[in-house]
Amino acid sequence: MDKVYFKSAKDPLFRSIMYGTVIFLFVLSTIQYLTTKTLNTSDIFGHLTLLLTNGLLISIIEGTNYSIDKQHVYYRSSFLRGKIPINKITKLEVGKTMWIGYRPATSRNGIVVHYGKYRKIYFSPRSNEKFVEILSKINEDLIVE
């Protein structure tokens, strides 16, 4: 089996909050520059901080994805990356939202993945059904709720 790739679903609420923040920070930086018309060291540091923050937010929005091969589920959301052995996954809760915890996701109503003894992670693939189908074929002992 080759690697199967999934982009993260993008919830309209999440997307509007994130892009709204990016636009707000850009406008704030522009207004600050236009009102002072000078750049000293602290201004440059402030503009650089806002630019890096915007870059991080955009990389989270556009760069969150997942992939599955024969042995692992891989996830990536900006600089957060990892893999989970499929044989360690015990349960999938489909259509749930995990508000607290490790969430490399950009939407609600995704999948809570239980693995190891007490570990959980939240994913939001565009197709929950296809994601669960592939994992269930690899790990037949998987409990799907």
Side-chain angles (χ1 to χ4, degrees):
M1 176 180 150
D2 293 332
K3 239 183 198 184
V4 180
Y5 295 91
F6 295 87
K7 287 194 173 257
S8 182
K10 291 178 180 57
D11 190 70
L13 176 64
F14 177 84
R15 185 178 273 186
S16 62
I17 290 171
M18 296 293 270
Y19 277 123
T21 303
V22 167
I23 291 167
F24 173 74
L25 291 175
F26 179 76
V27 168
L28 185 68
S29 178
T30 303
I31 289 171
Q32 194 273 333
Y33 173 72
L34 291 174
T35 56
T36 61
K37 298 210 181 199
T38 60
L39 282 177
N40 56 34
T41 307
S42 64
D43 290 339
I44 292 172
F45 180 74
H47 288 293
L48 185 60
T49 302
L50 290 176
L51 182 65
L52 291 173
T53 302
N54 278 347
L56 175 66
L57 292 176
I58 291 170
S59 73
I60 290 170
I61 297 166
E62 300 301 329
T64 301
N65 56 63
Y66 319 99
S67 59
I68 301 172
D69 65 14
K70 292 179 183 178
Q71 297 175 334
H72 295 94
V73 175
Y74 300 88
Y75 57 90
R76 178 179 176 201
S77 181
S78 187
F79 62 88
L80 301 174
R81 299 166 190 207
K83 64 182 178 179
I84 300 170
I86 294 176
N87 63 351
K88 300 284 185 190
I89 298 175
T90 56
K91 181 169 76 168
L92 301 174
E93 293 181 76
V94 182
K96 300 284 184 169
T97 302
M98 190 168 86
W99 297 104
I100 300 171
Y102 199 49
R103 298 186 40 156
T106 57
S107 182
R108 297 171 287 173
N109 299 322
I111 302 170
V112 178
V113 178
H114 296 261
Y115 65 102
K117 195 166 185 175
Y118 300 109
R119 300 189 74 184
K120 292 194 276 189
I121 190 168
Y122 179 74
F123 294 149
S124 63
R126 281 191 181 159
S127 172
N128 287 347
E129 296 78 24
K130 185 79 172 163
F131 194 86
V132 169
E133 177 187 323
I134 291 171
L135 284 179
S136 296
K137 284 180 183 175
I138 298 170
N139 181 354
E140 295 174 357
D141 297 330
L142 199 58
I143 299 168
V144 178
E145 293 181 353

